[in-house]
Amino acid sequence: MSDLPQFPPGFRFGVSTASYQIEGAVGEGGRGASIWDTFAHTAGKVRDGQNGDVACDHYHRWEGDLDLIAGLGAGAYRFSVAWSRVQPTGSGPANPEGLDFYERLVDGLLARNIDPLLTLFHWDLPQALQDLGGWANRDTPMRFGEYAELLGERLGDRVKLWITLNEPYIHFALGHVQGIHAPGLQMLSDQLPVVHHLLLGHGLAVSALHRTSSSPVTLANNYSPVWPKSDSEADQMAAAVYDMVQNHLFTAPILLGEYPPGYEFLTTADVDSIVLEGDLEVISQPIQAMGVNYYNPSLIAAPPEGDPLPFARLELEGYPKTAFDWPVVPDGLRELLVSLKERYGDRLPPVWITESGCSWPDLDDQFRIDYIAGDLAAVRAAIDAGVDVRGYCTWSLMDNFEWAEGYHQRFGLVHVDFDTQVRTPRRSYEWYRQVCTAAAPRPDLQQDPTG
Ligand code: GBH
């Protein structure tokens, strides 16, 4: 432990999860179907035909899971609400059983002295809304604002940090362009409506949460430092486009009130028919934190001729690889935090690392310990360089349903046997417990609305 950096007083260490990845109980408590139920039950979409029907059975085992978080001494738990538990078809009155479940969870966290950090949308859109066009339909952000209001009314006095959207860029790119995540669309043109409506949904949720809660509000963006493959003009241009879509498309409108230069290629229609007057004001309402999810840098080159995309993603060689084959580049986290600060300056609110982690199966997981230690050194270096970072939540508390990879990737501090549901803390759990318990005592987040 002695080699671990020190963090400012009040810095929070926590763990993250998401509803569809852990809850199971998809037909219980009045829950409606989500796009991930549909997608995972479509042949050929998820490895080995796996799905989240049972997942970690967290819906029934939540108390034991909260004890695991408490056992870490963690100061924060980031989880997400399944929209279709609260509103089975994505609109209309709340389903009381759904709200009750999350209220028990929040109260259970507070009873254990853990700050609840609540994500409203971690990709599991109610299927009924997808049937009406999903995020391509301008009604969806309106529905999202109403859903946010229901949660704010019920839990606004107890949730300590609100996260509207998880990784809108990944949901857009993998779900609506590549088609390897739900809803499985492969839109090659006219992508701007999905992007814009996600942003508008964020803005409307921010309004609803500010009306109903005094806690800070943010979103969790997935950022990746972009490294061009060469100095050639073609590679540099491709990298610039990639940097714009991955890192700034869902940040510049929120922090600066304008889309980043070059975004127009996302539609063949007239931009003004999609981005209506007043929208950017809604989108750019002040947020009190910026959630950063980090996994690895992106190596980008010019696309092969005839490719429909304006860039090509290449494999990054020369780094250790996780069991998912993702490169391990902890300093990329420092690089990206510093670059966000350079680009957005005082517009960048205090940062929370809302996710970072690795797939590694062994119970004796020195690999994961080194991974998190690398992250913490990078965060410390970013703080030293002037970035205001307030917390770090590792992905994930426990092994769970890893989207298109099913149960084949294990990101947990805690191992889950998916036949018996037995939870077994890995060595990293014990190590991270020391990190959490060594952290300085923390003041109440709600008394410090700047984050
Ligand atoms: C997050 O997404 C999600 O929020 C979470 O639900 C998920 O379980 C977790 O991460 C782990 O996947 O091909 O080597 O360049 C992460 C989004 C997109 C990050 C793909 C890494 C490229 C890896 N990821 N990306 S690589």
Side-chain angles (χ1 to χ4, degrees):
M1 280 299 115
S2 53
D3 49 344
L4 269 181
Q6 291 292 307
F7 287 87
F11 192 93
R12 270 145 171 89
F13 290 98
V15 287
S16 295
T17 64
S19 48
Y20 188 71
Q21 297 182 269
I22 64 168
E23 285 181 1
V26 293
E28 288 179 58
R31 176 187 180 280
S34 84
I35 57 172
W36 267 97
D37 296 312
T38 309
F39 189 76
H41 281 275
T42 305
K45 299 300 184 190
V46 176
R47 205 165 147 189
D48 292 343
Q50 292 172 334
N51 58 61
D53 287 2
V54 179
C56 305
D57 195 32
H58 170 76
Y59 187 76
H60 298 115
R61 296 168 195 266
W62 62 273
E63 282 192 275
D65 292 338
L66 295 199
D67 288 340
L68 280 169
I69 305 167
L72 274 172
Y77 174 50
R78 174 179 176 233
F79 64 97
S80 82
V81 168
W83 185 347
S84 68
R85 283 196 192 283
V86 173
Q87 291 175 298
T89 59
S91 63
N95 163 39
E97 272 186 90
L99 279 181
D100 288 351
F101 173 70
Y102 294 109
E103 180 168 66
R104 283 194 296 275
L105 195 69
V106 164
D107 288 343
L109 288 164
L110 294 173
R112 290 166 178 80
N113 193 27
I114 302 160
D115 287 343
L117 317 185
L118 188 155
T119 305
L120 276 83
F121 179 71
H122 201 121
W123 306 347
D124 43 357
L125 190 78
Q127 180 60 42
L129 292 184
Q130 190 63 46
D131 295 342
L132 300 171
W135 289 106
N137 182 341
R138 198 179 156 93
D139 284 337
T140 297
M142 313 300 161
R143 299 292 84 76
F144 188 63
E146 292 163 7
Y147 157 62
E149 183 118 17
L150 290 174
L151 284 171
E153 276 167 1
R154 183 67 169 263
L155 299 173
D157 56 337
R158 284 163 282 175
V159 166
K160 301 291 181 171
L161 176 69
W162 296 97
I163 297 148
T164 58
L165 306 175
N166 178 68
E167 298 187 351
Y169 171 71
I170 299 294
H171 184 59
F172 159 67
L174 272 55
H176 296 77
V177 182
Q178 288 179 254
I180 58 178
H181 278 184
L185 301 175
Q186 291 181 295
M187 312 172 76
L188 287 175
S189 59
D190 293 322
Q191 302 162 347
L192 188 62
V194 171
V195 170
H196 186 65
H197 298 150
L198 281 161
L199 282 163
L200 188 58
H202 160 81
L204 291 166
V206 171
S207 314
L209 294 168
H210 281 162
R211 276 198 298 276
T212 51
S213 174
S214 58
S215 293
V217 182
T218 183
L219 80 165
N221 270 319
N222 178 247
Y223 292 107
S224 173
V226 174
W227 296 353
K229 181 176 175 264
S230 80
D231 293 342
S232 79
E233 205 187 320
D235 286 348
Q236 298 276 337
M237 261 173 58
V241 174
Y242 188 79
D243 184 46
M244 187 272 286
V245 291
Q246 158 115 42
N247 295 321
H248 303 296
L249 189 57
F250 291 93
T251 303
I254 292 172
L255 296 186
L256 307 179
E258 60 195 25
Y259 275 99
Y263 81 103
E264 298 87 354
F265 86 90
L266 293 166
T267 183
T268 52
D270 181 2
V271 165
D272 295 333
S273 68
I274 299 161
V275 181
L276 305 189
E277 226 183 292
D279 285 0
L280 282 161
E281 281 81 82
V282 174
I283 291 167
S284 63
Q285 291 173 86
I287 52 174
Q288 291 68 44
M290 179 53 86
V292 169
N293 292 3
Y294 172 71
Y295 287 90
N296 49 255
S298 301
L299 184 65
I300 302 296
E305 236 186 80
D307 197 279
L309 290 178
F311 47 76
R313 299 190 46 137
L314 307 180
E315 201 175 318
L316 200 52
E317 313 277 4
Y319 294 90
K321 296 278 173 83
T322 73
F324 207 156
D325 243 8
W326 296 355
V328 182
V329 189
D331 191 58
L333 178 55
R334 181 202 56 79
E335 180 183 331
L336 100 82
L337 291 171
V338 169
S339 72
L340 285 174
K341 182 74 196 172
E342 275 169 3
R343 177 140 173 169
Y344 294 100
D346 292 342
R347 301 283 184 101
L348 182 71
V351 168
W352 279 73
I353 310 304
T354 33
E355 278 184 36
S356 178
C358 63
S359 167
W360 197 259
D362 307 341
L363 280 177
D364 188 355
D365 55 347
Q366 186 63 39
F367 190 93
R368 178 173 283 103
I369 293 173
D370 293 342
Y371 193 99
I372 300 175
D375 275 352
L376 298 183
V379 169
R380 180 67 248 187
I383 293 173
D384 291 339
V387 186
D388 182 1
V389 188
R390 303 285 179 95
Y392 174 91
C393 288
T394 195
W395 184 270
S396 179
L397 167 65
M398 58 187 163
D399 296 341
N400 55 52
F401 177 77
E402 178 49 34
W403 308 116
E405 289 284 304
Y407 299 97
H408 295 281
Q409 305 296 341
R410 293 178 175 273
F411 280 83
L413 298 174
V414 175
H415 173 274
V416 177
D417 179 324
F418 291 103
D419 295 323
T420 62
Q421 291 296 343
V422 168
R423 276 84 161 131
T424 307
R426 292 194 167 91
R427 198 151 70 78
S428 57
Y429 175 96
E430 184 49 38
W431 178 85
Y432 195 58
R433 191 180 67 73
Q434 297 178 54
V435 172
C436 294
T437 52
R442 44 204 167 87
D444 188 347
L445 271 182
Q446 258 173 346
Q447 287 164 13
D448 175 14
T450 58

